[in-house]
Amino acid sequence: MSSNADHSSSSGLSVAPNNVERTELPSDYDTWWDIQEGKKIYVDKTKFLHQLQSGLRFLRRPPGFGTSTFLQMIASFFKGEKHYFNGTYVHQYGNTRAKDGSWIQYPVIHINFDSIPIHYSKNLSKHEMVGGISNQIELKLRNIATITYEIDVPKWYTESSFSLSHLIHLLYRKFSLPVVILIDEYDSIIRKVRSNSDENFTDCFQTGLEAFYTQIKSAHSDRMVELALVTGVHPFSINTSPWGATANNFVDISWDSEFATCVGFTKDEIETTFKSEISDFAAHLKTTPDDITNQLKYWYGGYSFSAKDTLNEKYIVYNPISVLNALKNFKFDLYWVNKTTSNADYITKKMNSLSSYSFDEFKNYRLRHSSDLNPRNKYNPRMEEIPLPEMMLQTGYLKLVSYTYHHSGDVAVLNYPNWEIETGLNTLLHLAAACENP
């Protein structure tokens, strides 16, 4: 199977190709294609594809919630891989607006920034490091053109740097169709450098990214881009240019009710899709299926990604990594917390170093003037400058209980989403304190 996507590992589920009986649960590292080809159990998220047919969108979710798998499913959909969608919600409609449900093959640019290697050296200046990252991105773009789509790149494109704009034009010329652009983990590079380098090069890297995303805006204005979807963990704002030629027309759908359940599992999805697994789990623990579903909610549920309907049950999602591992192992444990240790370590260090925050304080914490939730307050992803409560909300260690916007300021109420987060974070805080005071 030929693909231009980075088939990188991700957690969470999407859809599968056939109505064949499925008994195997996917692993944390299965891609969309692994799930389909292995005929593993899936949760059908294809209903969201028709809501993402066009436009410039940005979606962020905590790490490990299935966003990468979701993008892989979108890539497969637009590439016209119809055989992977048999038995799903979207199969009867196809990937076009044609009434006959026909499928066509759009050109797709799919890049996971987490797959871009970064070379650290104390001898490199921040401009040299940014230049090295830009070269890696350019190499990805060239490989999509020459290897995936077998395009003979004109000489005048190779004599200078090969840009995203060049690739869009070449694909549009070859297919006579608008391009679909999927950028996964856009902030991964910044997070890697933050944890491995003393050099703060955010401003420099931001300038480079600005040009990259502005090319998408320009091509979309020229009707050469059907859909562009950028995902990450932290806020996305590429609008710092004083000349106005920026990517400020990306629509942030992160807290939109319409997309609140596009990743993660809802209560109904768990009870329907994993009915057999829940029964087996209950038999193993000598309890009832209802008790298992209640325990899954208590341990791993509670996340709301709808700013308007935070308490509505249909918008509440469960952590997919933890649910899958609990069903596999017949055991409730700290699966996601133990997997995302870098974020947990960063948060516990901050909580221990900042006397203004305590563990109990984040139970019904009132956050005023939240730049995270208010779409009018966009800021650049300088992670070291993000207030700790917002950092915890972005990375999945706090949930949104309620959000109220007023012209004079907005107020968000936050809390721990479930028992896994509360007990896991509390344990890590005690361990960190013990190490500091042996």
Side-chain angles (χ1 to χ4, degrees), residues 9-29:
S9 300
S10 67
S11 55
L13 294 180
S14 247
V15 299
N18 302 308
N19 289 322
V20 178
E21 182 180 358
R22 299 169 182 276
T23 58
E24 183 182 355
L25 291 167
S27 72
D28 297 348
Y29 303 99

Side-chain angles (χ1 to χ4, degrees), residues 341 343-353 423-438:
T341 53
N343 286 323
D345 290 344
Y346 178 80
I347 290 168
T348 53
K349 287 179 182 178
K350 280 288 186 182
M351 289 180 73
N352 281 328
S353 63
T423 189
L425 193 57
N426 199 14
T427 300
L428 289 171
L429 281 169
H430 281 93
L431 288 173
C435 291
E436 292 180 4
N437 303 288

